[in-house]
Amino acid sequence: MGTIIQTYQLTKKFKEQEVIKPLDFSVKKGEICALIGKNGAGKSTLFKILSGQIMPTAGEFQLFGKSGKEMDQAKKRMGFIIEAPVFFPDFTAIQNLEYFRLQRGVVEKKRIYEVLEIVGLENQKRKRFRDYSMGMKQRLGIALCLLSNPDCLVLDEPINGLDAEGIMEIRHLLKKLNQEKQITIFISSHILTELEQLATRYVFIKNGVIVDDLSKESLEAKSKKQILLSVSDPAKSSQILERTFADIQFKVLPNQVITIQNHVESSGEINRLLVDQGVVVKEFRIEALNLEEYFLGLVEEISHD
């Protein structure tokens, strides 16, 4: 698998503050890599260095294995949304993209219609940009990124400010670009739950340092599931559970709630068992520790060092 982005001891200081501490990091071809961190963790700074908006203080990086003079060629294979692109409010999508096509020297005019179809805006020919919903504006931003047929998209907080429907649209679009067009995606957000359903890899950043780097599989293993029960008689329920499962791990919480950490696959049996023994089960659900909780745990752990 080829490497698209590679950094070597990449560092950025603003005055005395080191916003990116020496960073060795790579994004591989085909990944949807999520960079996750609180605001101010260094996400946008890293993206701005990669796009050439700001220069690193030390270290270097390569795009598609190229650096130095060859970097300009490599950049043409990248599409960046670092800040919301500035579109003309009175222009339609086609007029806006035609302006940028000419400005960026994209040869074929038909590419405009192709990208509008890819992002699902082909039926909005007459609508002016100012009448777009937030989700449509983001999709046009991605269409602009796609004009030059890039192999990799770098998207800084593209779902920020979107409603649930807008987030879902962008998520489906990015998955489609990754799976059908084989576009590698490097995306940042502080809304973790959204990236949980999108990314194939999760990189957690705090104060300019990568504190964890997980594949989707490792994350799922860490996001252990548990059973949560609300019962009429916690004491009786505890006895039944201990009698039936020798190695059961559970906690009795306030408000007659019990959480069971293992035997999740026997959830139906556990529910039936309690009901058969006369326990009223008011609530029964399986919940996973989500990415948000995992990340908060990670950040807290680090700040206690």
Side-chain angles (χ1 to χ4, degrees):
M1 192 156 55
T3 301
I4 305 248
I5 298 167
Q6 176 77 57
T7 74
Y8 301 94
Q9 293 290 292
L10 193 72
T11 313
K12 181 63 186 173
K13 280 184 178 170
F14 291 107
K15 295 188 176 149
E16 292 309 299
Q17 193 193 0
E18 207 168 31
V19 182
I20 301 281
K21 301 194 169 65
L23 181 69
D24 291 304
F25 171 75
S26 65
V27 175
K28 301 271 188 288
K29 184 173 168 50
E31 287 187 316
I32 300 182
C33 179
L35 184 67
I36 298 161
K38 292 184 173 175
N39 290 335
K43 305 187 297 293
S44 296
T45 304
L46 174 58
F47 281 17
K48 283 176 178 169
I49 291 172
L50 295 176
S51 70
Q53 289 181 24
I54 55 178
M55 295 298 286
T57 308
E60 60 167 339
F61 69 96
Q62 292 182 344
L63 300 175
F64 300 97
K66 310 285 188 205
S67 57
K69 290 196 169 71
E70 294 176 310
M71 182 72 88
D72 284 348
Q73 269 319 102
K75 277 223 174 89
K76 289 183 177 155
R77 297 174 62 189
M78 307 284 290
F80 293 94
I81 296 187
I82 309 293
E83 280 135 359
V86 182
F87 289 112
F88 297 100
D90 287 338
F91 278 16
T92 62
I94 292 171
Q95 290 169 324
N96 267 302
L97 291 181
E98 175 64 5
Y99 169 80
F100 285 107
R101 179 184 80 84
L102 295 169
Q103 197 188 34
R104 294 178 181 188
V106 175
V107 179
E108 296 191 322
K109 184 159 183 165
K110 72 168 200 265
R111 182 67 188 154
I112 291 177
Y113 301 96
E114 288 168 8
V115 297
L116 287 176
E117 192 170 337
I118 292 168
V119 303
L121 288 175
E122 71 276 19
N123 296 326
Q124 303 292 344
K125 295 207 170 60
R126 304 232 156 137
K127 202 174 227 184
R128 291 162 192 263
F129 181 74
R130 61 159 182 251
D131 300 323
Y132 273 23
S133 69
M134 191 76 182
M136 288 167 73
K137 287 178 176 173
Q138 284 295 41
R139 283 189 282 154
L140 188 59
I142 293 170
L144 175 59
C145 262
L146 295 172
L147 262 187
S148 58
N149 240 327
D151 294 307
C152 176
L153 292 182
V154 177
L155 309 172
D156 193 16
E157 303 265 4
I159 47 188
N160 206 0
L162 294 184
D163 60 11
E165 190 183 349
I167 289 171
M168 199 168 74
E169 285 173 5
I170 298 293
R171 189 169 67 230
H172 288 321
L173 170 59
L174 295 178
K175 273 188 169 166
K176 185 172 91 167
L177 291 173
N178 177 257
Q179 288 160 7
E180 293 176 14
K181 310 273 180 199
Q182 277 71 58
I183 293 177
T184 304
I185 296 170
F186 187 26
I187 180 172
S188 79
S189 182
H190 57 279
I191 311 174
L192 314 180
T193 41
E194 290 322 316
L195 297 182
E196 210 168 356
Q197 300 177 58
L198 174 69
T200 55
R201 175 180 166 207
Y202 304 86
V203 177
F204 294 92
I205 185 169
K206 177 174 194 254
N207 298 335
V209 177
I210 287 178
V211 290
D212 209 345
D213 186 339
L214 296 170
S215 68
K216 194 174 184 69
E217 294 70 33
S218 325
L219 182 86
E220 281 165 3
K222 287 201 180 200
S223 303
K224 277 283 196 290
K225 292 184 167 61
Q226 62 174 12
I227 300 172
L228 185 137
L229 292 165
S230 168
V231 291
S232 58
D233 189 339
K236 184 177 178 184
S237 303
S238 304
Q239 287 166 351
I240 296 167
L241 290 170
E242 284 171 337
R243 225 174 25 237
T244 315
F245 302 97
D247 62 340
I248 191 113
Q249 297 168 4
F250 67 94
K251 291 176 190 153
V252 180
L253 304 177
N255 303 328
Q256 300 181 301
V257 170
I258 296 177
T259 58
I260 304 172
Q261 281 69 49
N262 59 354
H263 290 289
V264 176
E265 68 292 341
S266 312
S267 57
E269 194 186 331
I270 290 170
N271 192 19
R272 197 169 54 247
L273 191 71
L274 294 172
V275 174
D276 288 351
Q277 303 268 349
V279 175
V280 179
V281 179
K282 290 176 269 190
E283 187 181 5
F284 187 104
R285 68 169 191 268
I286 295 173
E287 45 176 35
L289 173 76
N290 68 17
L291 194 50
E292 195 96 39
E293 287 163 18
Y294 173 75
F295 175 61
L296 288 172
L298 194 72
V299 175
E300 299 322 314
E301 260 168 58
I302 296 148
S303 44
H304 293 156
D305 287 356

